[in-house]
Amino acid sequence: MMESLAIGYVMTVAECDLSLTVIEKGLINSAAFIGILSTGIFWGYLSDNYGRRKVMLPALFCSTTCSLCSATFSYNFASMFTLRFITGCLVSASSATVFAFIGEMHNNAKRATAIMFASTAIGITFIVEPILGWVILSGTWSFQLFGLTISPWRVFMWTWSVPGLSAAIILLFLPESPRYLLANIGPEPALAVLSQMFAINMRKKRDEFPVSQITDASKVAARHGFKVAFLNLIHLGQPPLRRCVIISHICMFTVFMMNSALYTWLPDIFHVLYTNFQDPVSICEIMVDYYTNLNPNIERLMLTVTKECDEKIVHYMVYPTCMIMGILCSATYVTIGYVVKKWSKIKFYCWVLGVCSIMLTVSALIKMPPVAVVLYVIGVCSGATASLLSAITVEVFPTSVRALALCTLYMCGRLGAAVGSNLVGFAFHDNCEVLFMIMCLGTAASVLLLILWPDPKAVRANMESHGFVY
């Protein structure tokens, strides 16, 4: 989340440093999403055939290295976009696979709650980003070090490597998914991991584990190769999984198109909004007026940079506003984690997403900036529904195709984010109201689609009758 979303803060202050147009800012904002989108199936194939941990671990170390390079050696649009794209490709390895990894560490009763609690990291990101931005990006200093120009936004980008590096180090001490081991290698290594989990959780010795043998491993699928990957894709395209794939992927596309795209532009939007806070004007009117004056015609918008380009310091109120939004998002994840134990996950998803999308649409049109900020902040919390959708989806896919299904699911999500981020860039030159209405209607359509979600128990029974393991 740090690698894909924090770039919005950088683009607000680094546009002059990198000589960026508003369209180039939109492309860089979406570069990591495009990278994740481009490689999702590849990482899903690898993690389903070689292991969740075995794929995530090296990718995390490599993404950290590439992220540091993008912060240090980018001096124009081409270098920044390329390095952010490669970083996104590497981040893709864990961005969806981690949900399969978490889900396979828990039983059916606790799986959704575990995923939602783990997803509070997304809300924490929304808190940490503005704090770091407030501390680092408020400065106007710069200096030369070994021939490199060091400025606040580069230091800010360096901090993004900390979560990835920390995750990689922690993952060194975690075992492979026992569910993956059981389905792909056999019961013995799975039993070893389960006994290790038992010893740590219960504070007992591993030889006290009451299970001595696993006998329900109906099928061991130690198969590899692109033929297997192709067959897995075919399984996802056949009933009863096909219906689940179509519904979940369309829903994830719309959630990311609305939420992640608007979040990456949030610093820009709030910066301009707070500088016009006293006027009775809507977000759309402010942004269209700002970018039209900055770039008088669409050709200039896409091909040239404004000659009068002053280094920007983000308005000081942007940071506390984003922190409040992060707190609300974290509270939303925790609340959902408790609620899904008793309520229907699908009904709760529909309510949260429906209400938040209406708030976002109203925030863009209402001519009361203080109210618009409040509605926008609450509306962006709709991002919590992405993890809730993952919890809904993970229940219906067998172990052998689960990571692939989740990776393609998040590929559609990142595609939505990339499309949305660039649409926002174009919309700020014109048709801003139309963009928000499209997002709202798309969200309404996804809510209606999820009503058609099949019974998970029936899907599992059908797949198990064909030899698949859960």
Side-chain angles (χ1 to χ4, degrees):
M1 298 309 294
M2 287 288 287
E3 294 289 359
S4 58
L5 293 179
I7 192 69
Y9 292 92
V10 171
M11 291 301 97
T12 304
V13 298
E15 56 183 309
C16 294
D17 230 3
L18 300 175
S19 301
L20 300 176
T21 68
V22 65
I23 298 303
E24 288 174 343
K25 286 168 64 177
L27 287 170
I28 292 176
N29 278 342
S30 61
F33 294 132
I34 296 172
I36 294 172
L37 166 68
S38 304
T39 55
I41 292 179
F42 171 72
W43 293 118
Y45 157 73
L46 289 182
S47 58
D48 276 334
N49 283 274
Y50 298 101
R52 320 312 192 197
R53 179 181 178 275
K54 190 175 291 186
V55 168
M56 290 192 293
L57 189 56
L60 281 168
F61 281 116
C62 292
S63 66
T64 298
T65 303
C66 191
S67 178
L68 289 172
C69 290
S70 70
T72 308
F73 303 112
S74 297
Y75 285 90
N76 53 38
F77 165 75
S79 58
M80 176 64 84
F81 179 84
T82 302
L83 289 170
R84 295 312 305 164
F85 170 78
I86 297 173
T87 302
C89 291
L90 295 166
V91 167
S92 178
S94 57
S95 64
T97 304
V98 67
F99 289 107
F101 185 72
I102 294 170
E104 291 170 356
M105 290 287 187
H106 295 82
N107 60 21
N108 292 338
K110 297 181 179 180
R111 182 173 294 125
T113 299
I115 291 175
M116 293 311 303
F117 284 166
S119 297
T120 56
I122 300 172
I124 293 172
T125 302
F126 293 161
I127 300 173
V128 172
E129 283 175 1
I131 291 176
L132 291 173
W134 205 348
V135 172
I136 299 172
L137 296 179
S138 298
T140 57
W141 49 265
S142 65
F143 60 90
Q144 296 289 321
L145 181 65
F146 303 116
L148 301 173
T149 301
I150 308 300
S151 53
W153 65 266
R154 295 186 187 277
V155 175
F156 178 55
M157 289 183 69
W158 289 346
T159 64
W160 302 354
S161 63
V162 176
L165 183 60
S166 302
I169 293 173
I170 293 171
L171 198 57
L172 285 171
F173 301 95
L174 291 178
E176 179 58 88
S177 156
R179 181 68 259 182
Y180 167 82
L181 293 173
L182 180 62
N184 287 268
I185 299 178
E188 290 77 13
L191 188 62
V193 172
L194 290 172
S195 65
Q196 179 186 356
M197 294 169 65
F198 167 82
I200 295 173
N201 293 336
M202 304 302 294
R203 297 182 181 179
K204 295 182 178 181
K205 296 180 180 179
R206 295 181 64 166
D207 55 15
E208 295 181 68
F209 187 43
V211 179
S212 59
Q213 186 178 7
I214 300 176
T215 59
D216 66 347
S218 58
K219 188 176 182 182
V220 176
R223 300 172 299 166
H224 305 285
F226 288 103
K227 181 179 179 181
V228 175
F230 181 72
L231 290 174
N232 288 342
L233 283 173
I234 292 176
H235 291 317
L236 293 179
Q238 293 178 336
L241 296 182
R242 179 171 58 198
R243 183 177 173 184
C244 301
V245 168
I246 293 173
I247 294 174
S248 61
H249 285 50
I250 292 175
C251 289
M252 190 65 84
F253 178 92
T254 56
V255 169
F256 270 77
M257 183 180 72
M258 180 177 70
N259 178 266
S260 295
L262 291 177
Y263 182 82
T264 56
W265 281 94
L266 187 147
D268 246 21
I269 293 172
F270 280 3
H271 171 78
V272 177
L273 188 63
Y274 276 122
T275 56
N276 299 271
F277 207 62
Q278 302 301 320
D279 300 327
V281 65
S282 69
I283 287 179
C284 277
E285 290 173 342
I286 290 176
M287 297 308 294
V288 169
D289 180 68
Y290 175 77
Y291 278 111
T292 300
N293 290 335
L294 190 65
N295 301 277
N297 56 68
I298 194 67
E299 182 179 353
R300 178 187 175 95
L301 178 73
M302 291 188 289
L303 301 178
T304 64
V305 185
T306 308
K307 293 181 181 178
E308 294 138 359
C309 190
D310 298 322
E311 291 291 343
K312 253 198 297 194
I313 297 179
V314 179
H315 192 283
Y316 71 95
M317 280 300 296
V318 171
Y319 298 114
T321 304
C322 293
M323 289 165 58
I324 293 172
M325 187 195 71
I327 293 171
L328 287 175
C329 286
S330 297
T332 302
Y333 281 111
V334 173
T335 301
I336 294 176
Y338 281 109
V339 168
V340 294
K341 293 179 181 179
K342 300 180 180 179
W343 289 10
S344 166
K345 291 188 285 292
I346 293 178
K347 289 182 180 179
F348 200 71
Y349 169 92
C350 294
W351 274 105
V352 172
L353 190 59
V355 171
C356 288
S357 62
I358 293 172
M359 288 187 172
L360 279 172
T361 304
V362 174
S363 73
L365 305 176
I366 191 170
K367 295 187 177 184
M368 299 171 63
V371 177
V373 169
V374 173
L375 292 176
Y376 195 100
V377 165
I378 297 175
V380 172
C381 290
S382 61
T385 57
S387 296
L388 185 55
L389 185 59
S390 299
I392 294 170
T393 303
V394 78
E395 294 180 344
V396 299
F397 291 108
T399 304
S400 59
V401 297
R402 184 173 292 138
L404 179 61
L406 286 171
C407 283
T408 57
L409 178 69
Y410 273 83
M411 277 176 61
C412 282
R414 306 304 181 184
L415 175 61
V419 170
S421 181
N422 285 284
L423 283 178
V424 170
F426 281 103
F428 283 162
H429 189 270
D430 200 2
N431 300 322
C432 177
E433 293 87 353
V434 174
L435 171 71
F436 278 88
M437 290 302 297
I438 290 174
M439 288 184 173
C440 186
L441 291 174
T443 303
S446 73
V447 168
L448 292 175
L449 261 181
L450 205 62
I451 296 175
L452 303 176
W453 190 257
D455 180 10
K457 293 181 180 178
V459 174
R460 290 168 68 101
N462 187 314
M463 297 303 294
E464 286 174 340
S465 68
H466 289 85
F468 286 88
V469 178
Y470 281 83

